[in-house]
Amino acid sequence: MNLLPDIKIAAQQMLFCWNTEKDRAVLERDGRMVWQGSLLPSFELSDEKGQLYYTDAIISNVTVLSDSCYEIALEFDELGRGSLQVDTEAWGIRFSSLEVSWYQPTSIVALYFGTKRMTDMQLRAAPSLAKPFWPNWKAEGYCLPCAGTNPTRSFWRFFDMGDSLLPLGSFGDAMGTLYAAAYPRPLYAAAMGGGDGWLSLGPGTIPDAALSLQLKSATACLQYLYREDLWEAPDLLHRSWSEPLRLAWGINGFDAYDRLYQTFPVSGSKSPNQAKSFVCTWGDFKEGQFDLRTITERVSRLAPADMIVLDEYWETCDSSGIPDYNRFPEFDRDIAHMRAEGFEIALWQSIGWIDQPEAFGLSDGDLLCGKDGKPRLWRWSGDPIYGESYHYCLDPSSERTRSFLTERTRSIVSRLNPAALKLDFGYGLPGPDVSVPRCPELRGERLCSELLKIITDAAKEAKPDIAIIYYGLHPLLHDHFDVINIDDLGDAGDSAEYEALGHNQRCMWSALAARHGMLINTSTGYYWETLKQILLNTAVVGTNGLTLGAADRTGKAMTESQRLRWLALGKWRRPGSGWSPLWLDADFGDVSREPVIRSWGRVESHQGVDRITALALRHHSGDEMVFPQLSGIRFTGEWALIAQDNEDIRQCSELACIPFTPGVLTIEGDFAAVIEFRHIEESEARKVLTSDPSGNVTVSISRDELNEIIGFMFVRQ
C-alpha cells in the first residue's frame, strides 16, 4: 500500500506525476515519455576532517497542507534531516523552500537535484567510479540556448555530449565548460525533452552557488557547486534555501523556457530613450586601429547612429576608468568631435576585472583569492598555459572594492557624460573550485549579479537616464540593467554563414526577454556579408548595432545596399520595449535540428489591446506568400514592415516598408500615398503610388534599385 501521495499536474497537453515514495517523477504526453528522473535533493558533503560523503534524501513523511501545497520531511542517512515545501501551480512545480539540519558540523561540496547513489549492479556498469552517485534525469535530448559554437547550437541528443558541465549562470569557462561567450546567459535554467515536449527547470532565486547542468554519458542533473570543503561555510549545522527549483513544461524548447520565465515578475519599464543605435569600436580596436577621428568620419559617412561605443582599450587598463592618452593622444578632442558630429558616446567597462589594484588603493583583501591567500588571475578563455593579459578579480565583500567600483563609475559618468555603459565579462570570473567571495551571501551566481548591481546603482545615481547595456535572458537580472546586447557573434563561428545562423537563433531566444519588458540591441559579428539578414531581424527585435570595422577579414566593406538598409532601420525602427513574438514561419528546433526563424513579427500591447507593430518577411520561391495572421498582405522576397505609431500595421497612419532583396509587396487598404525614399539626398522623397480601384497598393524592387531606394512609406487616408 502506498502511504505517500503522488503529486500530479496536467498542463500543456502533458501529465506530470511524481511518485514521492519512490522519488520517481515522469512527464509524459499521451503515454509517451518526455522526461523522467528523481526530484529530491542530494548532497556531496565534507566533515571537519575533510572526509567526503554523499547522501540523497529519503522521504519520511508527506503532509498535505492544501490542495496545492505539500510539506515533505526528509532524512539524509545518519547525517541529518530536513524539510521540503512543494507547491503545485497551473504552470508546474515550485520547491518553495528547503531546510537541512546536520547532526555534526558539515560543509557542502555540492547540492544536486537529479542524482542517486548507485546500486552494486549499477556500479558494475558505470563508466567511472570516481563518485558513488550518478545523474538520473533522462530525456531524448537537451536544449540550452546558443551554448554550442561553430556553428551555434542550442540542441543536443542525450548521447551527443558525453561528460559535460554546461554553465547556466555566469561562470562558463571558469568551470572548465563549453565557451560560448556571454549571450544569452545567464539563463539560470535548462531544458530537457524531445519530439513530444520539453521540461524547463531552474531556481526561483539567484543561487549562492555556481549553477550548471551536469551531463554524464546519457543522463543529467542540476549542480549547485559550493566547495565549502575549501571555503568557510556560513553555518555548519543548518542551511536553508528559498525556491531552489521550479519546473515548467511546453510543447517546444522555446515554449518551455517561456513558461518558466513567465513565472517571474516583469521588470520595470525601460525608457524608449535608452534604445539607441550604436557603432562599436571593437571591430577597429581588435585590429589595432585606434584613430578615433577616422572612425568617426567613417561612421558619419556610412553608418550614422545614435552613439559610438568606445570598447575595451579606451582605458589605461581594464577598470581604471582613465582614458589611455598614450594610445589616444587626442582623446578629449576626438570625443568632442564625435559629439559635434551628432553622436553620443558609450563606454565599455569590465564588471569585475582590474589590472593594477595597488594603483587604486586595493590590496589582496579586496580581490578574489585562492586557498593560499594569493589573488587569482583570470582572462576570457581561462587558459593558464598560453594565455596572456590576465586580470585580477574584484571581491564585492570588501567595502574598499565596493567604494572603488562606485567612485570609478561616478567619475566616468561625471567626467565623460556617457549615454550608456556597456558592461562585459561577468562570466570572466573564477569559480568556487579556486575562489569565492569572502562574504558567503555573495558567492556563486550572486558574485556577478552583485558587481552588476553596484555599478548600475552608481551609474544611475550619477545620471538617472543612463542606459546600462549587458546580457542575460533570465528575468531575475533585468532590474539591474536596461538593454540586452546580442553580443558580437565572434563565438558563433568563423564564417559569415555561421554568424547569420547564430544571430538568427539569438533573435529567437531574445524574445524570451522582450516578453519581460527588456530593450534589445541586435549588434553584429565580424563579416559584412551577414549585415542584411541581421538588420531584417532587427526590424522586429529592436535597435541596430554594429561591431564591424572598416573592412572584415575577407576584405569586404559596407555596400551601398547595406548602408541604405542601415539608414532605413535608423529612421523607422520601433522605439519601445516589451513585446511578444508572432511566429509566422519559424522552426523552434529539436534534437534533430537547430531552430530558425524566417518570417515573424512583433506584438505590442497598447491600451490593453495587442497590435502587430513590426514584421520581418522572407519568401523566395513560388507564388506570393500569404499568412493567415496577416490578412491583406502578399509578398515575394524579403521585407521589413514597421508601424510608425502604436497602431497595428493594418491600421497605422504610416507604415514603413523596407526592401531587403528583389521582390514584390502588395497591401490592401485605403492609402492616400506611397512615398519613395531615395539615397540621392536622404531626405528626398516622392509620391509614387496610391491605392488602385481594388483597394490594393503594390510596390516592387529590383536588384539595381536596392542600391538606390531606402524604402517606402505607406500613408493611410
Side-chain angles (χ1 to χ4, degrees):
M1 179 178 180
N2 185 5
L3 300 178
L4 302 178
D6 289 349
I7 296 176
K8 296 183 178 181
I9 301 174
Q12 294 293 288
Q13 306 172 44
M14 285 173 266
L15 176 64
F16 180 89
C17 181
W18 183 17
N19 182 312
T20 56
E21 184 174 36
K22 297 180 179 179
D23 188 21
R24 182 173 184 267
V26 174
L27 179 66
E28 60 180 29
R29 183 180 182 185
D30 298 330
R32 299 185 299 275
M33 192 78 66
V34 172
W35 172 93
Q36 62 179 317
S38 64
L39 287 179
L40 293 179
S42 55
F43 293 91
E44 278 187 281
L45 305 170
S46 175
D47 64 17
E48 291 181 302
K49 298 179 180 179
Q51 181 68 40
L52 295 178
Y53 299 91
Y54 171 79
T55 181
D56 42 33
I58 298 174
I59 295 180
S60 60
N61 186 53
V62 177
T63 302
V64 180
L65 302 180
S66 69
D67 290 342
S68 61
C69 186
Y70 303 80
E71 187 76 30
I72 300 178
L74 305 173
E75 299 289 344
F76 294 96
D77 299 320
E78 303 300 319
L79 302 173
R81 57 185 173 80
S83 65
L84 178 68
Q85 182 171 315
V86 179
D87 297 317
T88 61
E89 309 279 359
W91 46 262
I93 293 281
R94 184 199 310 266
F95 284 11
S96 301
S97 66
L98 170 65
E99 296 191 12
V100 176
S101 296
W102 308 114
Y103 300 138
Q104 300 293 331
T106 302
S107 298
I108 298 173
V109 177
L111 161 66
Y112 296 95
F113 289 98
T115 70
K116 289 293 182 184
R117 183 184 298 275
M118 288 185 282
T119 65
D120 289 342
M121 184 62 71
Q122 290 168 342
L123 284 166
R124 290 166 61 185
S128 170
L129 301 179
K131 296 182 183 294
F133 62 94
W134 202 262
N136 65 12
W137 284 354
K138 178 71 172 175
E140 187 180 347
Y142 306 100
C143 174
L144 201 59
C146 304
T149 69
N150 204 37
T152 297
R153 295 182 64 191
S154 296
F155 289 90
W156 295 271
R157 297 171 297 176
F158 69 90
F159 52 83
D160 281 348
M161 296 293 286
D163 287 5
S164 298
L165 198 64
L166 304 182
L168 306 182
S170 296
F171 286 97
D173 55 283
M175 302 287 294
T177 62
L178 294 175
Y179 174 74
Y183 186 84
R185 296 193 301 263
L187 296 165
Y188 302 145
M192 299 178 64
D196 291 309
W198 289 84
L199 174 76
S200 185
L201 36 88
T205 58
I206 299 177
D208 58 347
L211 185 67
S212 301
L213 183 70
Q214 186 176 64
L215 278 56
K216 287 286 189 181
S217 299
T219 52
C221 66
L222 203 59
Q223 180 196 69
Y224 295 71
L225 188 66
Y226 288 92
R227 293 307 310 268
E228 289 175 358
D229 55 324
L230 300 176
W231 318 108
E232 181 180 359
D235 190 331
L236 292 170
L237 293 175
H238 181 80
R239 289 296 295 272
S240 62
W241 291 263
S242 175
E243 298 227 27
L245 190 65
R246 293 185 186 184
L247 297 87
W249 48 91
I251 298 301
N252 54 61
F254 182 93
D255 190 40
Y257 277 102
D258 190 31
R259 286 177 59 78
L260 182 67
Y261 287 174
Q262 291 302 314
T263 67
F264 294 88
V266 174
S267 62
S269 60
K270 309 300 181 181
S271 169
N273 294 331
Q274 294 172 326
K276 298 180 185 295
S277 62
F278 70 73
V279 174
C280 179
T281 60
W282 181 244
D284 291 290
F285 284 4
K286 74 181 182 68
E287 302 298 334
Q289 304 298 322
F290 298 116
D291 188 330
L292 295 180
R293 179 65 65 109
T294 298
I295 292 171
T296 302
E297 295 304 323
R298 188 184 76 246
V299 173
S300 296
R301 186 176 69 257
L302 293 177
D306 297 320
M307 63 185 179
I308 295 176
V309 179
L310 302 184
D311 213 279
E312 189 177 16
Y313 298 150
W314 76 271
E315 304 165 283
T316 54
C317 64
D318 285 353
S319 294
S320 76
I322 301 170
D324 187 344
Y325 288 101
N326 290 325
R327 183 176 282 133
F328 306 101
E330 300 294 334
F331 183 87
D332 296 319
R333 186 178 299 177
D334 289 340
I335 295 303
H337 177 64
M338 285 181 183
R339 290 194 161 112
E341 290 293 304
F343 300 109
E344 296 182 276
I345 67 165
L347 298 166
W348 180 94
Q349 286 284 276
S350 166
I351 279 187
W353 289 348
I354 188 166
D355 292 354
Q356 301 171 12
E358 67 284 349
F360 303 97
L362 301 178
S363 63
D364 292 359
D366 309 307
L367 307 173
L368 294 175
C369 294
K371 188 66 176 175
D372 58 2
K374 296 179 180 179
R376 299 294 302 180
L377 296 171
W378 209 255
R379 70 187 302 268
W380 69 270
S381 69
D383 174 12
I385 305 299
Y386 298 106
E388 298 176 353
S389 302
Y390 294 102
H391 310 277
Y392 296 98
C393 300
L394 295 166
D395 183 352
S397 307
S398 160
E399 283 304 319
R400 273 199 302 266
T401 291
R402 301 175 74 91
S403 295
F404 163 73
L405 283 171
T406 298
E407 292 307 316
R408 182 202 69 191
T409 303
R410 289 173 178 166
S411 175
I412 290 172
V413 174
S414 174
R415 187 169 66 250
L416 296 172
N417 190 28
L421 294 181
K422 179 177 179 278
L423 305 184
D424 200 359
F425 284 109
Y427 63 97
L429 301 169
D433 282 321
V434 295
S435 185
V436 294
R438 292 165 178 82
C439 175
E441 293 182 355
L442 302 181
R443 293 176 182 173
E445 303 300 339
R446 296 177 187 174
L447 168 59
C448 175
S449 65
E450 184 68 12
L451 291 168
L452 175 62
K453 182 177 184 299
I454 293 169
I455 296 170
T456 296
D457 288 351
K460 296 287 186 180
E461 182 179 347
K463 184 177 180 178
D465 63 345
I466 194 171
I468 304 299
I469 303 172
Y470 193 58
Y471 34 69
L473 293 185
H474 200 285
L476 285 172
L477 276 182
H478 291 168
D479 283 335
H480 299 323
F481 65 104
D482 305 301
V483 183
I484 288 179
N485 183 30
I486 300 190
D487 212 13
D488 64 12
L489 286 175
D491 54 293
D494 190 15
S495 78
E497 177 188 4
Y498 285 174
E499 284 190 357
L501 291 171
H503 193 274
N504 188 279
Q505 283 199 33
R506 293 175 183 216
C507 285
M508 186 188 83
W509 296 115
S510 74
L512 293 168
R515 282 172 57 79
H516 267 75
M518 292 301 291
L519 295 164
I520 299 169
N521 186 289
T522 62
S523 194
T524 65
Y526 300 132
Y527 290 90
W528 280 105
E529 190 177 332
T530 65
L531 183 59
K532 276 192 180 181
Q533 291 306 311
I534 286 172
L535 292 179
L536 180 52
N537 283 326
T538 299
V540 173
V541 173
T543 54
N544 39 324
L546 199 63
T547 56
L548 280 153
D552 64 23
R553 62 187 57 187
T554 68
K556 293 181 179 178
M558 178 181 259
T559 67
E560 182 63 14
S561 178
Q562 290 170 338
R563 187 179 82 89
L564 297 186
R565 300 323 122 213
W566 174 273
L567 292 173
L569 260 294
K571 190 180 186 71
W572 294 319
R573 67 176 186 251
R574 291 298 303 168
S577 65
W579 52 270
S580 296
L582 171 69
W583 307 117
L584 299 170
D585 182 9
D587 184 339
F588 297 105
D590 211 319
V591 294
S592 62
R593 64 195 184 280
E594 289 299 315
V596 61
I597 47 177
R598 290 171 287 270
S599 292
W600 65 311
R602 169 181 178 131
V603 178
E604 300 176 25
S605 180
H606 296 284
Q607 289 80 49
V609 178
D610 287 345
R611 298 178 170 98
I612 302 170
T613 56
L615 295 170
L617 303 175
R618 295 178 173 94
H619 178 62
H620 291 288
S621 61
D623 297 333
E624 291 179 318
M625 175 62 74
V626 178
F627 292 110
Q629 305 96 318
L630 304 176
S631 59
I633 297 177
R634 310 190 304 274
F635 71 98
T636 62
E638 296 182 355
W639 300 83
L641 276 60
I642 307 174
Q644 298 301 290
D645 55 28
N646 289 332
E647 297 298 328
D648 191 276
I649 58 170
R650 291 160 294 191
Q651 286 85 40
C652 61
S653 60
E654 294 185 331
L655 176 64
C657 301
I658 308 170
F660 281 78
T661 65
V664 178
L665 172 69
T666 298
I667 301 180
E668 296 177 6
D670 190 9
F671 294 98
V674 174
I675 310 300
E676 179 187 272
F677 290 81
R678 288 179 173 262
H679 79 292
I680 300 170
E681 296 177 12
E682 285 162 12
S683 62
E684 180 187 353
R686 63 190 184 95
K687 180 177 178 180
V688 292
L689 291 169
T690 58
S691 297
D692 64 20
S694 60
N696 297 330
V697 169
T698 298
V699 294
S700 62
I701 192 86
S702 68
R703 189 168 303 279
D704 289 341
E705 288 175 320
L706 288 171
N707 295 321
E708 301 174 357
I709 294 177
I710 295 175
F712 304 92
M713 184 67 69
F714 287 43
V715 182
R716 284 193 167 88
Q717 296 279 14

